[in-house]
Amino acid sequence: MNERLNRLANLPLRENLQGLEPYGAPQIDVPIQLNVNENTHPLPPEVHRAIVEEVSAAAMGLNRYPDREFTELRERLAAYLGHGLEADNVWAANGSNEVLQQVMQAFGGPGRTVMGFPPTYSMYPLLASGTDTAYLAGVRSADYGLSAIDAAAQVREAAPNIILLCSPNNPTGTALGLDVVEAVYEAGAASNAIVIVDEAYAEFAHNGTPSALSLLPGRERLIVSRTMSKAFALAGARLGYLAAAPEVTDAIRLVRLPYHLSAVTQATANAALKHVDALLANVEDIKIQRDRIVNELTRMGLHPASSDSNFVFFGGIKDTKAIWNGLLEAGVIIRDVGIPGHLRVTAGTEAETTAFLVRLEELLDQGPHTLSR
């Protein structure tokens, strides 16, 4: 690897990419994979059949380019989101990462800045580097929260061109109040900032948790991004999307690659959107396991964050490496997010969640791995 890095250094790489490492969690083949926030439930049989049928039909026309405007998909996504949205309010791409990349291509670039509030989704700085947009790191409170007053003050001081708010936040799992979004949007008016609320995990939020979709009317600089990777169990299909004012989607058309969504991707997503109820039934099962993890970790003396996502961020670990390795030896992989004393685990099936909890408690009983026990 060092030799390859040395060879890479000999190429005329852009300065803002030099020394960076590509994004990616460890890919280790173990029976229970709870490290990358996938939906661990397989597709329901009826959804699988529907996808196979639609993809088979699409395959008959693969000698032709797909619908460049993916009209049916935008209509179905708008209907799913509700809030009075129409197809002109919706854009989609190959995963929400590409959606965010396209937003930065349109509104960021050399001489412009994008602001995030770490700890948050680790792809944000990499997307900024890839589009030659300077990344500004805001500051959260000691408990990793973000208040409306504090966030707005930081935005006014930094005057960024783009602001990224992750809600529910990754890796902490906590949702932002709409007062934070409203305050940040108003504070960004002076720099005419685009405000992106990344709601990749919105379907897993507790009942009554509001979505920033309700704030879109009258706010042409506000974007809400979503994905079909999580709640829809389509991580392998790569389909992300956003909702915004029609002029935002028109701006993104200026930077998108032609025919960027394949006919197979469109067919897969359309088939899934015809079976929303079956897919969201799995979401309810995952939420039960997530809340179970929070309760059990609390009982063990650890400090889990209240989660509105399909994962749990927890502290109280003295030796995160020992815990992570001990779980891995038992065939369970979770995520070390690089925050001292903390780890993150995806809520799996009931059996996967049980295996994680049982092994974790065994490890905690074997040695002084926690700060609180």
Side-chain angles (χ1 to χ4, degrees):
M1 179 59 74
N2 287 335
E3 182 182 350
R4 291 184 64 176
L5 291 175
N6 289 335
R7 297 208 310 263
L8 175 61
N10 291 329
L11 295 177
L13 195 64
R14 279 186 0 221
E15 289 184 5
N16 68 314
L17 296 180
Q18 293 174 10
L20 295 182
E21 294 183 4
Y23 171 86
Q27 290 188 305
I28 302 173
D29 187 14
V30 295
I32 301 176
Q33 300 187 27
L34 304 177
N35 64 325
V36 289
N37 301 340
E38 296 163 317
N39 186 323
T40 54
H41 291 56
L43 287 171
E46 64 268 34
V47 182
H48 178 264
R49 286 193 297 269
I51 290 173
V52 170
E53 290 173 4
E54 295 232 11
V55 169
S56 178
M60 297 298 294
L62 288 181
N63 58 311
R64 302 293 186 181
Y65 286 117
D67 175 10
R68 185 176 60 235
E69 289 295 309
F70 46 97
T71 307
E72 180 185 352
L73 177 56
R74 288 189 295 117
E75 290 173 347
R76 290 190 179 279
L77 286 169
Y80 166 68
L81 291 176
H83 293 275
L85 296 169
E86 299 180 351
D88 284 345
N89 297 108
V90 176
W91 187 255
N94 295 283
S96 59
N97 287 327
E98 186 178 55
V99 169
L100 297 176
Q101 182 185 58
Q102 290 176 339
V103 172
M104 291 192 198
Q105 287 175 315
F107 300 105
R112 296 194 173 193
T113 57
V114 57
M115 187 175 194
F117 295 87
T120 191
Y121 185 32
S122 57
M123 267 300 296
Y124 294 158
L126 295 178
L127 290 168
S129 294
T131 56
D132 208 6
T133 309
Y135 183 76
L136 306 176
V139 178
R140 291 176 177 265
S141 61
D143 64 355
Y144 306 117
L146 189 63
S147 72
I149 293 174
D150 192 29
Q154 293 185 62
V155 167
R156 281 192 293 269
E157 181 178 357
N161 300 104
I162 303 171
I163 303 156
L164 286 162
L165 299 172
C166 191
S167 180
N169 186 47
N170 182 7
T172 60
T174 49
L176 288 174
L178 294 188
D179 61 324
V180 178
V181 180
E182 292 175 299
V184 166
Y185 187 88
E186 293 173 8
S191 57
N192 203 26
I194 293 291
V195 179
I196 306 168
V197 183
D198 182 354
E199 292 190 342
Y201 301 94
E203 287 90 349
F204 298 99
H206 288 94
N207 293 336
T209 302
S211 166
L213 291 169
S214 64
L215 300 179
L216 285 172
R219 294 181 173 88
E220 72 282 353
R221 294 181 290 106
L222 181 62
I223 296 172
V224 179
S225 68
R226 293 280 187 98
T227 182
M228 294 186 75
S229 293
K230 310 300 181 181
F232 283 82
L234 291 179
R238 310 309 302 130
L239 196 291
Y241 58 102
L242 64 73
E247 52 266 42
V248 170
T249 62
D250 285 341
I252 294 177
R253 285 181 175 87
L254 300 175
V255 299
R256 61 99 181 267
L257 294 174
Y259 309 107
H260 71 290
L261 274 185
S262 76
V264 172
T265 299
Q266 292 182 43
T268 300
N270 282 324
L273 286 163
K274 294 177 183 178
H275 296 82
V276 169
D277 290 344
L279 288 164
L280 295 189
N282 279 342
V283 168
E284 294 305 312
D285 287 342
I286 292 168
K287 289 165 67 173
I288 290 171
Q289 297 308 314
R290 175 207 56 204
D291 294 342
R292 177 188 172 204
I293 291 172
V294 170
N295 292 335
E296 286 298 297
L297 295 186
T298 301
R299 179 186 62 78
M300 294 179 199
L302 300 175
H303 312 299
S306 177
S307 177
D308 282 286
S309 58
N310 70 333
F311 57 86
V312 177
F313 175 76
F314 60 99
I317 303 293
K318 185 174 183 179
D319 189 343
T320 54
K321 186 175 181 180
I323 294 294
W324 190 90
N325 284 328
L327 287 165
L328 186 64
E329 290 169 1
V332 180
I333 185 169
I334 66 171
R335 188 71 175 265
D336 184 343
V337 294
I339 299 175
H342 291 76
L343 293 167
R344 190 194 71 194
V345 60
T346 306
T349 62
E350 182 176 4
E352 290 171 334
T353 300
T354 297
F356 159 71
L357 292 170
V358 169
R359 180 55 179 159
L360 176 63
E361 189 158 27
E362 289 175 350
L363 291 168
L364 296 177
D365 289 340
Q366 288 174 10
H369 298 302
T370 71
L371 299 174
S372 56
R373 295 183 68 172

